[in-house]
Amino acid sequence: MPSEHADNTHGKTAGEAAETDALALKILVAGGFGVGKTTLVGAVSEIRPLRTEELLSEAGQFVDDTDGVDRKTTTTVAMDFGRITIRSGLSLYLFGTPGQDRFWFLWDELSQGALGAVVLADTRRLADCFPAVDYFEHRGIPFVVAVNCFAGARAYGEREVSRALDLELGTPVVLCDARDRDSGKEVLIRMVEYAGRMHTARLLDSVS
């Protein structure tokens, strides 16, 4: 007589098997100070995002360049965390990195095990994302550059941004609105697709 669990893998319930088969990928969201990292994570996350924001203080006014983001009153001091389900069985864990130089020691910890990264860029302060671009290029971590289109900022095309940042050939540049869930989700999909191609290519190179 068949067991009541005979249709389950190794005695697991259907729910347990589905949970085991689910894939969770780690994605970093990086970029300069005030570029919209916390906003992007909050917009796309299906759970209440974990945030480590503190109010900007007078003591930090000499080290935090707020030119162009004068209305910003808080800053991330550790990380932001959110989660989004791309499709059944595939979820992304999002880790927003702090943007200021003095918190960069956290990046090495956050980048461990990451599939790839999104580098948010503001065309008004494009140079602010150079450190993030350099960081991921030097460590071989796949990334896409997402230009957060702020109101009133001059519009630039994807090729113009790519040339200005001197990106490696093939590195995707996408335009987005960090406040919009659908726009942010498209950025993440592009990130996963690009990282998948990069990792597959590296695997083929290693076995050929």
Side-chain angles (χ1 to χ4, degrees), residues 7 23 28 36 44 48 52-53 65 101 112 127 138 152 154 183:
D7 59 339
L23 179 62
L28 301 186
V44 300
R48 183 177 181 180
T52 56
E53 289 192 309
D65 180 11
D101 298 9
Q112 290 185 15
H138 291 160
R154 180 179 172 183
S183 180

Side-chain angles (χ1 to χ4, degrees), residues 17-165:
E19 184 176 346
T20 302
D21 294 339
L23 179 62
L25 304 175
K26 181 179 182 180
I27 301 292
L28 301 186
V29 180
F33 176 63
V35 77
K37 301 181 294 294
T38 298
T39 300
L40 176 64
V41 172
V44 300
S45 179
E46 61 195 22
I47 62 172
R48 183 177 181 180
L50 169 66
R51 293 172 174 168
T52 56
E53 289 192 309
E54 296 292 342
L55 290 174
L56 291 173
S57 65
E58 292 184 5
Q61 64 182 330
F62 301 108
V63 291
D64 294 331
D65 180 11
T66 58
D67 184 32
V69 286
D70 310 83
R71 295 182 180 180
K72 186 172 175 59
T73 59
T74 60
T75 182
T76 298
V77 296
M79 67 173 185
D80 299 312
F81 174 77
R83 186 188 70 203
I84 179 174
T85 300
I86 296 296
R87 57 173 172 76
S88 178
L90 176 60
S91 298
L92 302 183
Y93 289 163
L94 309 177
F95 291 82
T97 66
Q100 300 97 311
D101 298 9
R102 65 184 186 277
F103 296 124
W104 282 351
F105 67 92
L106 294 169
W107 286 37
D108 287 338
E109 288 289 335
L110 292 175
S111 64
Q112 290 185 15
L115 173 74
V118 173
V119 176
L120 271 177
D122 179 355
T123 56
R124 301 170 301 178
R125 297 159 53 101
L126 197 58
D128 288 2
C129 69
F130 272 111
V133 169
D134 289 342
Y135 182 91
F136 297 123
E137 283 186 345
H138 291 160
R139 286 162 179 77
I141 298 175
F143 68 95
V144 301
V145 173
V147 179
N148 192 8
C149 299
F150 288 91
R154 180 179 172 183
Y156 292 90
E158 297 171 6
R159 292 184 179 179
E160 292 176 288
V161 173
S162 181
R163 287 195 298 267
L165 294 176

